[in-house]
Every structure is written in C-alpha cells, then in structure tokens.
Amino acid sequence: MALLSSLGVNTVLGWDPAEFDETLLDAAQRHGIGVIMPFDLDPEADYTDPTVRQQLDNEVIAWVARYHNHPALRMWGLGNEVLHKIVHPAWVGPQDPHREQEAEAFSEWLVQTANDIHAVDADHPVTYRSAEDAFVGWIVTAVQRSSNPPGTWFVIGTNCYQDYLSKIVERWPESGMASPLWVSEFAPGGMAVPDRPDGFATMWGYVRHNPDWVLGGAVYAWTRNGPEGVDRNFGLTDDGTPVDGRSLDELSALFHAD
C-alpha cells in the first residue's frame, strides 16, 4: 500500500472477497487509499430462480452491513464480467434462448440488488464491471424495465485492453445509462515491453478525455503472481518488485499530473 500510494494510486480493487477484508481496508486507510470492495458472482447460478436470487441478495446485504462504515470504502463492486460468461456479444449472432433468459434474469437481479444496497448504504456508489461495452445493453434494458431505476450512484465499469477504449468513452453519453463510466481495467494489450509506457500514456489519455462522465481508470494488473494466466504478461511487479520500471514511472507521472 505504501508503494501504491507513492505511485499516485488512490484506489485499489480486485476479485476475491476473502482477501478484501478489514485487514486490507485498514492498510489502505493508513496510506490514504480507497477500496472498491468486490462481491464475486457465479455466472452459472440460476438467476431465474427466486430462491437463488433472494439468497444472493441476502448475502450481499450482509456483506454491505459488515463493511459499510469503514472509512476506506470507495464503492461496492457487484460482479465482474458476469454477462460475458453467460451470453456472447450481440454482433456474433442469435443467442441460445436459455442463455438469453439467464442474461435477462441476471441483469434484473443486478439492478434490484444495487437498489437494495443503496437502500442500506446511500453513501457509497455501486458498480458493475463489464467486458468493454458489448453487454451494457442488457443492463440498460433492465434499468428501463425497473419500477425503481437506480440513479447516478449506479456506475458501470469497462474492462478494455485496446484502442477501442476511445470509442467506449466517446459513445458513453449515448449508451442509455444516465450514470457515469469508469475504466475498471486497462492496459496496452499486444504491445512489447519497451512500448508499454507509451501505450499506457495513450490509454490514460482516453480515460481522462471526458472527465465530465468518466470517473477514472484502474491499471491491470499490479502483480504477475495473480490468479489469471494473463497476469504473467500484464503484471507490473513480482509481488512489489518492478518488472517493467519504465511503465511504473510513466504511470506514476501520469497519476501525479492528473
């Protein structure tokens, strides 16, 4: 946390709720860093089943009750790329009817549970992190169908590793969502290590191009010793020891200048 703070990082996030606990929150608070707390959602759960939906909602509200008073809390992270694992992007072709039903049910559950979180804790936004913008339409439809559509406190994150990020940012005001966007994962995909600093600078330019509706961005990923195979390529450190110092220097300069 001390090293992250020195680099200009003001917020951290992740996936595993078991690691994002009071110990992590306390460490972040000591260094002036906020935390987006993650709640992992199973894409194979049956979101059409009312019993499953209610059980998950109960678990989420209990999680909110546990952490909502911690001063390091920044946002509630309700799921990451769940729709990406249920259905394919619309441009691929027709959906499997069962998968389509699950996607609709999940999106409805997501909006309802976000509202339930907000009813318990109106002081912290709720965010859902999406693979690029290919699945945002499902959420837009669920918001439009909701009898209690969430306000601007319901924030969508986009995970993007290519120049298409510039298009996502430009088009966001026409996305159908009234809420802000934030870039929940970014890195210059496909670039050789010597080119990565310039790639990060370009992508940070996309992130900050329209600050009126884009809150900020989170670099992926801090360590190569992570849970996913791509972490070996995108990780910036070996558990804190820089493996690509020029990228860290570039990111620190960008963060401190912002």
Side-chain angles (χ1 to χ4, degrees):
M1 290 294 178
L3 181 53
L4 288 167
S5 179
S6 71
L7 288 169
V9 172
N10 61 20
T11 306
V12 296
L13 64 150
W15 298 268
D16 188 352
E19 294 184 3
F20 279 70
D21 58 7
E22 289 87 356
T23 300
L24 186 144
L25 285 162
D26 290 346
Q29 178 65 16
R30 287 194 296 271
H31 295 281
I33 293 176
V35 180
I36 299 173
M37 294 292 283
F39 192 95
D40 192 38
L41 295 170
D42 183 3
E44 297 302 322
D46 184 1
Y47 294 94
T48 66
D49 185 333
T51 301
V52 172
R53 290 163 67 111
Q54 187 60 56
Q55 180 180 346
L56 279 171
D57 189 277
N58 293 344
E59 291 174 5
V60 168
I61 297 306
W63 167 71
V64 169
R66 175 176 173 180
Y67 296 114
H68 77 280
N69 285 324
H70 200 287
L73 176 65
R74 189 83 79 210
M75 286 196 288
W76 300 109
L78 191 58
N80 177 63
E81 296 190 357
V82 181
L83 285 164
H84 172 59
K85 300 176 179 107
I86 296 176
V87 287
H88 57 66
W91 50 262
V92 173
Q95 301 284 358
D96 174 85
H98 173 70
R99 289 286 185 176
E100 187 171 38
Q101 186 180 25
E102 286 288 347
E104 290 176 353
F106 168 78
S107 301
E108 291 172 359
W109 177 89
L110 178 70
V111 170
Q112 179 60 54
T113 304
N115 276 326
D116 292 344
I117 292 174
H118 189 67
V120 174
D121 176 19
D123 295 327
H124 299 97
V126 180
T127 185
Y128 170 75
R129 295 152 61 187
S130 178
E132 298 188 345
D133 61 350
F135 304 91
V136 173
W138 295 96
I139 302 170
V140 170
T141 299
V143 168
Q144 293 172 343
R145 290 177 176 172
S146 174
S147 60
N148 182 28
T152 55
W153 50 264
F154 182 50
V155 185
I156 301 298
T158 180
N159 301 338
C160 189
Y161 294 84
Q162 55 184 319
D163 286 340
Y164 181 64
L165 178 60
S166 66
K167 299 297 184 184
I168 297 174
V169 170
E170 288 174 9
R171 297 170 182 168
W172 189 250
E174 289 78 49
S175 67
M177 295 293 297
S179 57
L181 175 74
W182 71 292
V183 182
S184 41
E185 293 178 19
F186 78 93
M191 283 193 169
V193 169
D195 300 324
R196 289 176 73 188
D198 290 342
F200 277 119
T202 297
M203 297 198 83
W204 188 247
Y206 301 150
V207 172
R208 303 307 292 150
H209 180 65
N210 290 303
D212 287 345
W213 61 77
V214 181
L215 301 179
V219 176
Y220 186 94
W222 175 242
T223 179
R224 296 199 302 185
N225 184 26
E228 299 190 23
V230 294
D231 297 347
R232 310 316 162 246
N233 298 323
F234 286 120
L236 294 169
T237 75
D238 277 328
D239 294 330
T241 301
V243 296
D244 181 1
R246 289 186 59 243
S247 286
L248 282 180
D249 291 343
E250 179 68 23
L251 287 165
S252 182
L254 293 167
F255 292 164
H256 281 294
D258 193 85

